[in-house]
Amino acid sequence: SRYAGGYDDPARLAGSFAGVASEMGNNGIVIRGNSSRYMLWKMEGVEIANPTHFADVIAFGAGGITALSSQMLANSDFYTGAFPAEYGNALSGVFDVKLRTGNAEKRETAFQIGGIGLDFSSEGPLRKGGKSSYLFNYRYSTLALLKPLIPADAGVIKYQDLSLKFNFPTHKAGTFMLWGIGALDGQSRDAISDPTKWEKKTDKETFNLDLSNGAIGLTHKLIIGSQTYLHTNLAGSGNRISTDYKELDGQLDLQSRERVDNNTWKLTASTTLNHKFGAKHFNKTGIV
């Protein structure tokens, strides 16, 4: 959040690394010339859809504004090559996002207004004196609020997102974590009903775009001795794109021209056993 022009977006900031290129028009990550669609996004060790508003609409593998918030992020891993064996389905790079744990001792709240949205976040203990905690961040687009300042041909642009993490440590059964992220996007434009005002083809088109993506998961971490732990994930993720084009005909009646509905979802289960042999060597063995 301290970088100028970063838009609170880790994908844009990744462009400062060697071999990585980005542009202001979108937040696609181009590594060694590879398309941004070949980036692998993971959250808490689970593969997820690109956590970006209007993802794959501006460009494949890229979007406009991140659905992640710096209020939620912990130290995360960004790989530009030589991936460990646990990372598949990637040809260019890997962004493995980790969510931090909320403050279990004191309740804290933050609110900010910026060029990309209104943000509200909160964290704290679930009950006084306990060790369980919550953390969440909600963002609503300021573009929807700034509609009068946006060019008319852009239509109405709106988006919102929510990310959360609940942490439940136990005495003997390990630590359970419930986490999730979700984004809703929309863009619409109405046709101009007066033919004398038509200047270009899009003036007589009605357009509606609806997108959603998200993931929710349950993570369990069990400490086994001083050098070994077991890490297990159960998660569901998916994304949806729906577009609807209609066009005014000679009698000024709307005729359907194109409609697209694309829904992708999946369930993931993974478990890894991690063992540290010494200061320089450790082993991670698992299955997805």
Side-chain angles (χ1 to χ4, degrees), residues 114-115 141-150:
S141 64
T142 47
L143 291 178
L145 302 177
L146 299 176
K147 180 184 175 183
L149 304 179
I150 299 175

Side-chain angles (χ1 to χ4, degrees), residues 154-175:
V156 178
I157 301 173
K158 55 185 179 181
Y159 55 85
Q160 56 185 321
D161 57 69
L162 173 69
S163 47
L164 55 89
K165 183 176 181 179
F166 292 88
N167 191 64
F168 304 97
T170 65
H171 291 293
K172 295 182 179 181
T175 301

Side-chain angles (χ1 to χ4, degrees), residues 1 7 9-10 15-16 20 32 36 48 73 80 98 110 128 132 138 145 172 175 183 198 217 224 231 247 263 272:
S1 59
Y7 293 104
D9 189 342
S16 63
V20 184
R32 302 183 308 278
S36 53
I48 63 171
L73 296 181
T80 58
K98 304 291 194 306
K128 192 173 182 180
S132 299
Y138 174 75
L145 302 177
K172 295 182 179 181
T175 301
W198 293 351
I224 307 172
H231 191 271
E247 185 176 319
N263 298 277
T272 57

